[in-house]
Amino acid sequence: MSERAAAAVVFVVSLVVLSYGLGFGLDVDVAVVAGDRVLHGDAPYRDFWTIYAPGSFVVIASLFAALGRELIVVHAAAAAAAAAACVAFWRLLEELAAAGGRPASRHARVLVLAVFACAIWEPSPSFDSYAVPRVLLLVAWRDWLRAARGVDPGAWRRAGIAFGVAAFFKHDVAAYGLLGALLAVAVSVPRGRRGSGARSLLVGATAGGLPG
């Protein structure tokens, strides 16, 4: 099975599993209220105060505009984001196995993925500020590994972009992720490639964070 086919299977199966309980108590949380206000023209920090980054509010407002102001829309999007995180985690497991120099057992990866899916499952899932960054940080660390191994030097910048975009949704988590990636470059990448790797990460993060 090709990588794309495997990713598609992981997404579909994860979406089915993580959608269990989708309609259990459709809760209204801060993100939903803020997203509804953005839909009606309010701007975070100007018209209402929040300690959260605006990314999830903008996504929820866009979903409401496109699909209607129904709570099930938000919860379905949260389940889809969780399924996307499962795909990103699956691909990270593949990269970790490759970095270890031996083929990964598919059964072992399925077991680890099942544990991950159970950990992130929740009834009536909320599209909170972690929904998108969880995916982006997993993607970023996979790209970091590919670049560190020398398989794809351009992956440094893509990892940085993922960290930068994640900051639009969760400032602190994205900053911690980027700091960890830079520290990992300093301690685990050959000296001759440290400077270029760190610069590419920072350039990517700056470019990814500009829209926010």
Side-chain angles (χ1 to χ4, degrees), residues 116-203:
F116 176 79
C118 289
I120 65 174
W121 174 83
E122 55 181 329
S124 188
S126 172
F127 198 95
D128 57 19
S129 55
Y130 290 97
V132 174
R134 183 166 50 200
V135 180
L136 291 172
L137 266 63
L138 289 168
V139 169
W141 278 106
R142 176 181 182 269
D143 280 333
W144 187 97
L145 275 171
R146 290 181 63 79
R149 292 172 56 218
V151 174
D152 183 2
W156 288 126
R157 188 163 299 182
R158 292 199 302 275
I161 290 172
F163 286 125
V165 175
F168 185 56
F169 294 85
K170 196 70 177 173
H171 301 130
D172 52 348
V173 172
Y176 300 150
L178 178 60
L179 179 60
L182 291 170
L183 290 173
V185 168
V187 301
S188 62
V189 174
R191 187 182 299 273
R193 293 194 287 123
R194 289 176 188 170
S196 61
R199 284 192 300 271
S200 294
L201 277 169
L202 290 171
V203 167

Side-chain angles (χ1 to χ4, degrees), residues 20 22 26 31 40 45 55 67 69-70 82 86 92 105 113 116 118 123 132 143 149-150 162 172 190 203-204 210:
Y20 176 73
L22 195 63
L26 299 178
H40 288 89
Y45 319 117
L67 302 173
R69 294 172 64 240
E70 301 290 340
C86 287
L92 177 60
S105 163
L113 178 64
F116 176 79
C118 289
V132 174
D143 280 333
R149 292 172 56 218
D172 52 348
V203 167
L210 283 178

